[in-house]
Amino acid sequence: RRGTHCAVDAMDYYEELGINRAATDIDINKAYRKLALTYHPDKDDSEEAAMIFERIAEAYDVLSNRKLKATFDLLGEIGLKDGVPDGRGGRKGGIYTFEASPMAIFKRFFATDNPYEALMVIQDAFEKIGGSGKPELGAQRTYDLPVTLEEIFHGAHKAVTHTRKVQREAGGAIESEDRTLTVAVPPGCKNGRRFVFEREGNSKPNVEPGAVVFVVETIRHDSFTRSGDDLVYVAKLSVVDALCGTTLKIQTLDKRTLTIPVVECVDANSQKIVGGEGMPRADGSGRGDLIIIFEIVMPNKLTPAQKSLVRAGFFYPGKQPSPEQHAASVAFLNAANHGSKGWTIGFAGQ
């Protein structure tokens, strides 16, 4: 039943760990240990596993704390988190919010965030107690996988090569072996996602090869930064364009050109959102948005004449100027935009 819960359903922490309410502390620890090692992101990177990993972390966080466990036993999840009326005009409960990350809970329990290292610790403990014929598990090896934003947008198959050490018999020579693997990066892949290749680590007698892990590291893009499923684009506008409007031309990751009119006055750090022009969502449910953040570029200096003209422009009557004011403004604009003598040649109309 794990992984089938509706987001609004109240959680039964005992059910999440597959135990009953008579479970002891040992039972709780044993259940969490088994499930956490099974659904750790390095062992199973599916969305369902991620959800289960988070739910069992919360369950363990509550049931391993005597006060929280007692409150949950009495009031349930809703009472534990939100509280319930106490019959005297107040509320009881409402003492818990799950704020730790699932990985932090895992690390607190195992003293490592590496599931393979955790397995080795457990294995060593059992061998010290009664001995074991199982081979030792080799260390995990982790590499960065540089990926461009375009590759994440479209999806890509990345050929990666790593070198592992191989000793074929005890005391024998150690050889270097190049291994080429293919990482299938899906469209919309998250930065930091881990791709795990079991048994690809160093190999020697009586040692089970550990895993090799490649971690997605997004290469910095010249135009965009990523925020979840959204793309962020910083548009630098002159004061003139910020006040009078302009048209942005933005080349997308799939080589289209977006034409974005900016017709309203723009404040520094204000935003404009273009729906559906962000990154593909990993679950295939469409795309995020393009968020345009405006940055106003101020001039370094103005001459006295320019300052006077700017000030005069702001004080020009917005409605019903007098005939004299209208005639003066028309004369000024005609001079400014004159085809051969005007000072706005090349800029007029932009």
Side-chain angles (χ1 to χ4, degrees):
R1 296 175 61 185
R2 256 176 225 92
T4 62
H5 302 270
C6 211
V8 297
D9 288 347
M11 290 174 64
D12 184 327
Y13 294 130
Y14 293 98
E15 182 179 312
E16 296 297 330
L17 295 180
I19 55 180
N20 60 43
R21 290 178 176 266
T24 64
D25 290 346
I26 293 176
D27 295 329
I28 293 168
N29 288 342
K30 183 177 179 180
Y32 175 74
R33 180 187 299 114
K34 178 181 178 181
L35 292 170
L37 290 172
T38 299
Y39 293 105
H40 188 286
D42 284 357
K43 302 283 285 183
D44 187 338
D45 63 358
S46 68
E47 291 186 12
E48 181 182 23
M51 182 179 70
I52 295 173
F53 189 66
E54 180 173 355
R55 293 175 76 95
I56 62 175
E58 180 176 340
Y60 178 75
D61 194 39
V62 171
L63 297 183
S64 61
N65 181 297
R66 291 188 177 182
K67 180 179 179 180
L68 296 178
K69 180 177 180 291
T71 304
F72 171 76
D73 288 344
L74 181 65
L75 304 177
E77 184 205 5
I78 294 176
L80 175 68
K81 293 180 175 178
D82 300 331
V84 295
D86 62 4
R88 298 187 298 273
R91 299 183 72 80
K92 56 185 177 180
I95 61 173
Y96 176 72
T97 300
F98 183 51
E99 296 178 334
S101 71
M103 195 61 72
I105 300 296
F106 184 96
K107 189 170 185 178
R108 187 179 77 195
F109 186 93
F110 290 101
T112 177
D113 56 9
N114 184 334
Y116 302 96
E117 184 179 344
L119 281 169
M120 289 179 64
V121 172
I122 295 170
Q123 185 182 57
D124 287 345
F126 278 107
E127 288 178 354
K128 289 177 182 178
I129 294 174
S132 172
K134 292 184 179 180
E136 180 185 352
L137 181 65
Q140 172 181 304
R141 304 179 67 190
T142 302
Y143 302 93
D144 290 333
L145 178 66
V147 183
T148 67
L149 202 55
E150 285 84 356
E151 288 174 324
I152 295 176
F153 182 88
H154 294 288
H157 286 78
K158 303 279 288 184
V160 291
T161 301
H162 77 99
T163 301
R164 69 177 183 177
K165 305 298 182 181
V166 178
Q167 186 181 48
R168 305 191 185 281
E169 58 183 24
I174 298 177
E175 305 171 6
S176 293
E177 180 180 75
D178 290 335
R179 303 281 292 177
T180 299
L181 307 169
T182 300
V183 179
V185 180
C189 179
K190 302 297 185 184
N191 190 58
R193 177 170 172 177
R194 301 161 74 91
F195 293 87
V196 182
F197 294 85
E198 303 282 1
R199 298 175 55 82
E200 280 289 341
N202 295 337
S203 174
K204 63 181 181 180
N206 298 319
V207 176
E208 186 82 11
V212 169
V213 180
F214 290 91
V215 182
V216 170
E217 181 179 341
T218 306
I219 299 172
R220 183 174 180 177
H221 195 273
D222 290 339
S223 300
F224 301 105
T225 55
R226 186 178 182 183
S227 176
D229 293 324
D230 298 328
L231 287 174
V232 178
Y233 177 87
V234 177
K236 295 185 178 181
L237 302 184
S238 68
V239 174
V240 172
D241 288 341
L243 294 175
C244 303
T246 186
T247 298
L248 302 177
K249 301 287 187 180
I250 302 175
Q251 187 177 60
T252 65
L253 295 175
D254 54 355
K255 304 302 182 184
R256 294 176 295 114
T257 299
L258 298 179
T259 301
I260 311 295
V262 180
V263 296
E264 67 280 358
C265 291
V266 173
D267 295 329
N269 297 319
S270 61
Q271 298 182 1
K272 186 180 184 71
I273 296 177
V274 184
E277 288 292 349
M279 295 294 289
R281 295 191 177 95
D283 61 4
S285 62
R287 289 169 55 179
D289 298 329
L290 172 62
I291 301 173
I292 302 172
I293 298 178
F294 294 103
E295 181 178 310
I296 312 303
V297 181
M298 301 295 293
N300 292 326
K301 62 180 180 179
L302 293 175
T303 66
Q306 288 172 325
K307 292 179 182 179
S308 296
L309 290 171
V310 169
R311 186 175 291 110
F314 276 107
F315 284 102
Y316 183 77
K319 294 181 179 180
Q320 298 180 343
S322 68
E324 293 79 8
Q325 292 168 336
H326 177 71
S329 69
V330 170
F332 176 83
L333 292 174
N334 286 339
N337 298 327
H338 189 277
S340 60
K341 300 179 180 179
W343 55 87
T344 63
I345 296 173
F347 298 95
Q350 292 188 5

